[in-house]
């Protein structure tokens, strides 16, 4: 009985040190039952979500984090932000009806975060495009505890329907980021020091050059955190204390 108690206590302590998924949208559970056109804004704001209202055709239980914000660039042609119904794999993305070849377009999406642990990994699933596009890049986004935004170095060179993962975001270069303002974003050129604990929002940024039209999409997004170093210390101390007490009882 005593051995079981000790093993259980140590197992619980170790579980505390495992990564925890804090944002998950898709990719395996269908979130919409019919196509959803979303509100398109060209100036980012967190005053209102761009995601659909949960209920009816948007199943909030199908994704862990159904609410998100979004903003896009401001090209001349028609455009849209949508969730395309794909049965068990829905596509979240933006389409551009027509624009001059070589036009740079962009999209950002962001989710609220309440977990205060350190960010560990970012993943995008099923990243793809339809139509003529070149120069595609993805950057991870975060808003730190003070409200400042940062974008990671660009991820490039991926094919269609690609899964992109950065296992440890602290190893990347990060830059100051200003979200869309009337369709324009600003990304700093000098590497910035970033606090990865206690962030307010996480997300991603797409940028590409269009060849007259098309769209870009993804089937899922996921972010995880790990306990802060102090928590690991508590786990180790707790484990040592358990074995010390056990030894005292045996003496």
């Amino acid at each position: 009985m005593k051995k079981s108690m000790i093993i259980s206590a140590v197992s619980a302590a170790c579980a505390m040190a495992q990564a925890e998924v804090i944002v998950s949208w898709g990719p395996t559970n269908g979130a919409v039952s019919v196509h959803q056109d979303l509100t398109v804004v060209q100036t980012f704001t967190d005053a209102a979500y761009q995601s659909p209202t949960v209920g009816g055709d948007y199943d909030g239980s199908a994704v862990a984090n159904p609410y998100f914000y979004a903003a896009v660039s401001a090209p001349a042609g028609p455009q849209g932000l949508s969730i395309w119904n794909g049965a068990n794999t829905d596509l979240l993305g933006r389409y551009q009806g027509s624009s001059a070849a070589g036009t740079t377009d962009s999209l950002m999406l962001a989710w609220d975060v309440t977990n205060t642990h350190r960010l560990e990994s970012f993943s995008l699933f099923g990243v793809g495009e339809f139509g003529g596009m070149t120069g595609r890049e993805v950057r991870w986004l975060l808003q730190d505890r003070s409200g400042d935004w940062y974008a990671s170095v660009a991820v490039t060179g991926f094919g269609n329907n690609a899964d992109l993962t950065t296992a440890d975001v602290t190893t990347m270069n990060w830059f100051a980021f200003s979200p869309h303002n009337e369709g324009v974003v600003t990304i700093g050129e000098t590497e910035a020091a970033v606090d990865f604990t206690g962030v307010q929002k996480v997300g991603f940024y797409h940028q590409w050059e269009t060849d007259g039209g098309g769209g870009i999409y993804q089937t899922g997004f996921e972010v995880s955190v790990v306990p802060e170093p102090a928590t690991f210390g508590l786990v180790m101390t707790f484990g040592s204390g358990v074995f010390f007490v056990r030894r005292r009882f045996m003496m």
Side-chain angles (χ1 to χ4, degrees), residues 1 4 7 24 27 35 37 51 54-55 77 80 109 117-118 141 166 216 224 226:
M1 178 64 179
S4 298
I7 292 173
S24 180
H35 178 90
D37 286 322
S51 49
V54 170
L109 289 101
H117 292 320
R118 178 182 66 81
L141 299 179
T166 298
I216 195 161
S224 67
V226 292

Side-chain angles (χ1 to χ4, degrees), residues 14-194:
C14 291
M16 292 172 60
Q18 296 177 352
E20 174 187 355
V21 175
I22 58 169
V23 170
S24 180
W25 197 99
T28 58
N29 298 317
V32 297
S33 55
V34 296
H35 178 90
Q36 297 285 305
D37 286 322
L38 311 182
T39 302
V40 177
V41 300
Q42 296 173 352
T43 296
F44 181 85
T45 175
D46 58 7
Y49 295 113
Q50 275 66 58
S51 49
T53 301
V54 170
D57 296 326
Y58 186 49
D59 183 3
S61 65
V63 289
N65 303 87
Y67 299 106
F68 55 82
Y69 310 97
V72 302
S73 55
Q79 61 178 311
L81 181 66
S82 301
I83 303 175
W84 290 274
N85 181 29
N88 289 329
T89 305
D90 298 325
L91 307 179
L92 170 60
R94 174 193 173 180
Y95 64 88
Q96 177 62 39
S98 63
S99 59
T103 300
T104 298
D105 290 328
S106 62
L107 161 70
M108 66 172 289
L109 289 101
W111 281 255
D112 289 319
V113 173
T114 57
N115 192 297
T116 60
H117 292 320
R118 178 182 66 81
L119 289 179
E120 181 183 46
S121 67
F122 279 67
S123 296
L124 267 178
F125 305 103
V127 181
E129 56 93 7
F130 50 90
M133 294 186 178
T134 59
R136 291 186 300 161
E137 65 177 50
V138 169
R139 295 175 186 262
W140 309 125
L141 299 179
L142 68 86
Q143 184 186 38
D144 69 10
R145 67 177 73 206
S146 66
D148 294 327
W149 282 92
Y150 297 94
S152 73
V153 64
V155 179
T156 61
F158 50 89
N160 217 24
N161 299 314
D163 293 338
L164 309 177
T165 294
T166 298
D168 185 355
V169 297
T170 66
T171 64
M172 305 183 78
N173 293 334
W174 289 76
F175 307 88
F177 178 81
S178 296
H180 290 82
N181 183 7
E182 298 184 353
V184 178
V185 303
T186 303
I187 302 175
E189 298 181 355
T190 303
E191 183 180 354
V194 178

